[in-house]
Amino acid sequence: VEITCYRSRIGQVITNLITNAADALTEKNSRGKQNNEAFDGKIVIATSCSKRGEIPGILVSVSDNGDSVPQELHDQIFEEFFTTKPAGEGTGLGLAMCVKIVKDHSGMLSISDDESLGGARFELWLPVEAHK
């Protein structure tokens, strides 16, 4: 299935999601090293055809086995200038930019806990044809 999109902009979104997953793994690994615990970080990227209502689209998920994002932060995580990273490390602009790009493509970006990996799962859904 092909979709109509600005490839470089959607590439930015996917790159940001993968980078955030890698950051979560690095953070968890650092804590594990301090406690002499081994940690095998995993990032899983999957794609599938998926409908939203009657609209056909593509679903891209990026999941990790880092620490999940607490449920109470799920709504805030996409707000501009909100970050879970320590002071001086995150700008809080990455996911806010991603949401804007996805909305410009008539898509959706969501977060949940990944049941199998135990970390965060971000889902990017884009319609096969933009409906504006």
Side-chain angles (χ1 to χ4, degrees):
V1 174
E2 293 183 4
I3 62 170
T4 302
C5 68
Y6 292 101
R7 186 177 60 199
S8 63
R9 303 289 284 161
I10 296 303
Q12 280 181 285
V13 172
I14 293 171
T15 299
N16 188 285
L17 297 177
I18 294 168
T19 299
N20 284 354
D23 288 347
L25 298 181
T26 299
E27 186 176 312
K28 188 169 183 175
N29 188 45
S30 293
R31 281 196 318 279
K33 283 183 179 178
Q34 291 171 354
N35 299 324
N36 293 325
E37 297 171 356
F39 173 67
D40 185 22
K42 290 181 177 62
I43 297 174
V44 175
I45 302 164
T47 61
S48 63
C49 294
S50 175
K51 285 187 175 184
R52 292 289 188 254
E54 293 299 313
I55 303 171
I58 300 293
L59 182 68
V60 179
S61 66
V62 178
S63 303
D64 64 65
N65 68 336
D67 294 326
S68 62
V69 176
Q71 184 68 38
E72 62 270 14
L73 299 181
H74 282 198
D75 290 334
Q76 289 178 285
I77 199 106
F78 297 111
E79 293 176 7
E80 197 169 47
F81 304 116
F82 180 84
T83 183
T84 59
K85 295 178 181 171
E89 289 187 29
T91 62
L93 295 174
L95 288 174
M97 173 205 62
C98 289
V99 167
K100 181 180 180 343
I101 292 169
V102 171
K103 284 183 179 177
D104 287 348
H105 284 80
S106 303
M108 295 171 42
L109 184 60
S110 62
I111 181 174
S112 62
D113 294 335
D114 189 279
E115 297 291 325
S116 61
L117 293 178
R121 175 185 179 98
F122 284 86
E123 291 186 338
L124 162 64
W125 180 84
L126 296 170
V128 172
E129 294 181 22
H131 295 85
K132 291 194 177 206

